[in-house]
Amino acid sequence: MKEINWSQFWSTFKKTYSIYLVLLALFIVCSFANPNFLSVNNLTNISTQLAVTTILAFGQTLLIISGMLDLSQGSVLALSGVFAVSAYKATGSFTVAIITGIMTGIVCNILNAVMVSTFKTPPFIATLAMLTMARGVALLFTKGQNILQLGDFTVLGQGSIGFVPIPVIFLIIFAVITWYILRHTKFGRSLFAVGGNEEAAVASGINVHKVKYTAFIINGIFVGMAGILFMSRVNAGLPNGAINYEFTALTAAIIGGTSFSGGIGSAGGTLAGAFIVGFLDNIMNLTNVDSYMQQIIRGAIIALAVIYDIRSKNRRTKSTLGRIEDKGSRRKGKGKGITESHK
Amino acid sequence: MKKTLLTMVSMLLVTGMLAGCGNSDKVNSANGGEKANSGDKVYKIAYIARAQSDSFAAWLANAVKEEAKKYPDIKLEVFDGQANDDKENSMIENAITNKFDLVIVQPNNGEAQRPYVEKVIKDGKFAITTNARITGIEGASSVDADPYEQAGVNARAALDQIPQNAKVVVLNGPSGNFHADKRRESWQKEFFDKRPDVQIVGEQIANWNKDEAMKYMEDWVQANDKIDAVISMNDNMAAGAVEAVKDNSKFDGMLAYGVDGTLEAFQLIKEGKMTSTCLQNAFELAEKLLDTSSKLLTGAEKQVDTDIGNPLITKDNVDEYIALLEKAEALK
C-alpha cells in the first residue's frame, strides 16, 4: 500500500484552501475579540453590507482572470442606480427599474470593451475614462442632487425572504453564477486561457475579442444589479454614491487569491476575500478602532495579500522549473547511459 | 482602424465645439440675454465652484446663476473646480488671464487657493471667497456661513435634549476639511465639554456620505444596546444613521442632529426621525454674493466681509423651510 506523504498533502491543502483557513482563523479571533460579533444579527448584517461590493468583486474576478480590470465600477454603479431609481419613480415598475439599471451597466461596459478590445487601450486607462464619464452623466442627470422618496423600491435592498435579507440572496445567486461560469463553461476556460497567455490563446483558436466583450458584458450585468441594490439599501438615488467601491472590490478579489497577472482566480476565493475584509471592518467598528488606524490596517492587509500572491507564484514557477530541469537531467542521464552502453 | 479613430476624434472635437457654443448661449441667457445697452459697462464675473458634484456646491452654483439674472450689468460664468486643488487654481489663473472683473472662489481647500486669490487682488481685480471664506487676504472680500455656529445652534439645543449619562455616536466629515473640523470643534466646546456625563460609544469619518454612515451605524447598533443620539456633521450622514435603525423599535426615541438643511433632513424632521439641523441657505449666500459683487464693481464698497444667518430647523418651523427647498428643486 502506498504511504501517505503528509508534507506533500499539507502543502497541496495549504495551496488550495489557505484563504479559507485565514477566514476561519479571523472568524475565531473576532469571536473572542467582541461577544457581539457572533450574534446572528451581526453576521446577517455583515453579509448584507458585503453584498454590493462582493457582487462587484465577482465582476472584477472574471476580468482580472482574463488579464483586465474595471476601475469604473463605482461610477457605473452610481449611474445604473440613479437611472433605475428614476425609472422606478416614473413607472412604479420593478421590472422596468431592474432592466434600466442592468442595461445601463451593460452599455457602459460594452464601451469599456470597445476601448479595450477593439482599440487596444490598456484596461486601466479605458476604464479610468469610463469612471469619469459615468460619474459625469450621473451628476448631469441628477444636477448633483440626491433622488429621494423611493417608496417600495427599498424592498430590494432592505427586505428579507424569511430570515434571509434579499441582498444576501442576490449575493448567493451571483456567487453561484460566477462559480459556474469559471468551473463549468467553455467561456470560463477561455477566460483563464486569455489571461494566462493571450498569444497562446489566439494560437489555440480562442476568439479573444469575443471573450473580452463577454467578460465586460457580464461585469456590466453585475454592476447594474449592484447599483439597484445599493440605491435601494440607502433609500436614495445618490449620484455621488459608491465612490472607490471598485477598490474595495479589487481588494476582495486580490485577497481572495485572484492574480493580477491573469489566469488565476476563483469565485470561492473572492467570496472569502470579501468576508475577510468585511469581518475586519466589522470588528474594528465593534471595538471602536480609530478611523485612521482602520485605513492603515486595511492597507497592510492588501500589501500582505499581494506579497503572498507574488511569493507563492515564484514558488510555483521555481517548482515547475525544478520539475522541468529534473526531467531534463533524467532524460540526459538516460541518453548518456544509452550512448555508453553502445560503446 | 486609423480612419475610424480619426473620424471618432474629429466627431468628438466637433461635439466639444458645439457644446462650447451651447455654453456661451447659456451664459448669455443667465444674464437675461445681454439686455444692457451697448454703451453700458457689463462686468464679467467668474464663479469658481468647489465641485459641481457636491450637492450643496451645485445648489449654490445654480442659485448664484439665478441671482445673476437680476443684474443686467453683470455677466456671470460658472466653472467647476472638480474637488481638485490643482484644477481650481488653474481656473483662478485662467480667470485672471481672461480679464474677468471679479472672481468668486468657493475653495476646495482654503490654504491651497490662498496664493491664487492673492494673485487676483495683485492683478487689480476683485475677489470674493465663499463657503468657506479664506481669512486674512488684504483686499479680498468674503461671504460665508459660520460652520462653528451652524453646529453650535444644534449643540446648544442638545444640551437640554440629550438625557443624562447618554450614549452617543459621532459621524465626522473628511479630515482636514474646514467645515468638518469647525463643526466638530463646535460640538466639543458647546456640548461635550459641558456634558462630561455623555459617553461617545462610536466615532468615525463617514466622508459626508449616507452609505458609509449607514454601515457604521449598523455596526454600532450591534455593539450597543442603546444609542441615545446621533451627532452628525452633516445631514447626509445623519440620514444614513437614521436609515440603519428605522425598523428597529429599540431606537424609536433616538435623537439625531445634522447640518446643511437638505430636503431629506427636513422630511425626517417632519416625520420625527431627526431632531434638528441648521440650514446653510444657498439662496441667501447667492443673494449676498451678488449684492457684494455689485457694490465692489460699482465702487460703492472696497471690501466686504459678511455672514448669512444660521437658522435652527426643528419640527416647529420645518414646513416653511420645506417650501424654500421646493423652490430650489424648481431651479434644477
Side-chain angles (χ1 to χ4, degrees), chain A residues 9-121:
Chain A
F9 172 79
W10 176 242
S11 100
T12 318
F13 183 81
K14 219 169 54 173
K15 226 180 275 171
T16 324
Y17 299 107
S18 59
I19 187 73
Y20 305 106
L21 291 175
V22 172
L23 181 65
L24 183 71
L26 187 66
F27 184 81
I28 294 167
V29 171
C30 291
S31 312
F32 282 105
N34 191 299
N36 294 308
F37 178 80
L38 264 187
S39 74
V40 177
N41 268 347
N42 189 48
L43 296 174
T44 320
N45 211 10
I46 297 174
S47 316
T48 316
Q49 288 174 353
L50 284 178
V52 169
T53 46
T54 313
I55 293 172
L56 295 181
F58 288 137
Q60 294 286 12
T61 305
L62 297 179
L63 291 171
I64 300 172
I65 287 175
S66 55
M68 305 183 286
L69 89 169
D70 180 10
L71 292 183
S72 67
Q73 278 188 328
S75 302
V76 175
L77 183 156
L79 181 64
S80 305
V82 294
F83 276 180
V85 163
S86 307
Y88 181 79
K89 286 197 80 164
T91 63
S93 156
F94 276 106
T95 320
V96 175
I98 291 172
I99 292 173
T100 309
I102 290 179
M103 282 313 293
T104 310
I106 291 177
V107 170
C108 292
N109 275 276
I110 288 178
L111 289 174
N112 276 339
V114 170
M115 290 189 274
V116 172
S117 191
T118 309
F119 289 108
K120 305 280 178 224
T121 320

Side-chain angles (χ1 to χ4, degrees), chain B residues 158-178:
Chain B
L159 280 174
D160 298 328
Q161 292 164 345
I162 294 181
Q164 279 294 311
N165 303 316
K167 287 180 173 177
V168 303
V169 292
V170 181
L171 289 159
N172 291 321
S175 184
N177 176 290
F178 178 72

Side-chain angles (χ1 to χ4, degrees), chain B residues 113-125:
Chain B
Q113 275 79 62
R114 179 187 290 278
Y116 294 84
V117 176
E118 283 170 349
K119 264 190 199 176
V120 176
I121 302 292
K122 223 175 176 183
D123 203 58
K125 304 285 190 283

